[in-house]
Amino acid sequence: MTSMSRARVARRIAAGAAYGGGGIGLAGAAAVGLLLAEVQLARRRVGVGTPGRVPNAEGLYGDTLPTVGEPPLRLMMLGDSTAAGQGVHRAGQTPGALLASGLAAVAERPVALGSVAAPGACSDDLDRQVALVLADPGPVPDICVIMIGANDVTHRMPPTRSVRYLAGAVRRLRTAGAEVVVGTCPDLGTIERVRQPLRWVARRASRQLAAAQTIGAVEQGGRTVSLGDLLGPEFAQNPRELFGPDNYHPSAEGYATAAMAVLPSVCAALGLWPADEERPDALRREGFLPVARAAAEAAAEAGTEVAAAMPTGPRGPWALLKRRRRRRVAEAEPTSPSGV
């Protein structure tokens, strides 16, 4: 499928989400019967060996840094088991802890990490999660990171519904004053124990959803990062290293890979990334594109950021596509939060 074709599909899904449609299928109804037996087999094969308890990573990171009279930055994680960090044993290995440590190092300021992410959540749980965030009597988070979508694909939630819930969550958080970065649906086609033809269908479905998520989130004032790497090319090359013991959730190294993809966008959303890296680099194929085309290109290349850039024009909203360089989080393991 060409980039333009992917853009059209993503735009159709996002438009259906915005205007109440719900019947656009990702894989096509004709494939469902053929795949039922393979789905059942895959479900038995993956998910065995997952630690039952998700480490509690909430707390204060970088607490030895000077505050200069300012309160800590507030980072909130929302989404599914990926956002929560299921699959690892230590709090410092979760994506929230990795992002909080990295953000504290870049900002040179403590970061208070909170989480309402729930293992097993689909996008329809975001309403509840956002309500929890906004009901907190404390200040609104400076930055919210949402990682969601894999369960929507495996539970066959209509993509228009999925995108509608995500767009609503981004809108509510942005209206409240929080910056929002969405890690879009990972590439499920590289789960080692899922065989063909389900693997091909899973890859196509997850990439289509990721592109549509980007359109929905960017149009509501958020920015997105493609998490294809989370279960994508690097995982396909190093499945023993980057998958956890259940062969589905990432290992500690896998979560570190995902965090490195998201951290630059988190910092950029807060105005903390170097100004010279905010300008599009033509040599890296960065630039301003119609949002649907930018979304399709990002879904095909992990670590790519899409953010709103220009008012709506004849071809619809425009966006800035950035292929940010990945950097190590202070070249060290994350610090443990105070009091955890």
Side-chain angles (χ1 to χ4, degrees), residues 12-37:
R12 266 203 320 274
I13 294 171
Y19 297 110
I24 300 176
L26 288 172
V32 173
L34 174 65
L35 295 173
L36 283 179

Side-chain angles (χ1 to χ4, degrees), residues 29 54 79 94 96 99-100 104 108 134 137 157 185 221 226 236 240 250 276 311 319-320:
V54 177
T94 63
L99 288 171
E108 298 183 339
L134 299 183
M157 175 181 286
C185 182
S226 168
R240 297 291 187 273
D276 61 338
L320 173 61

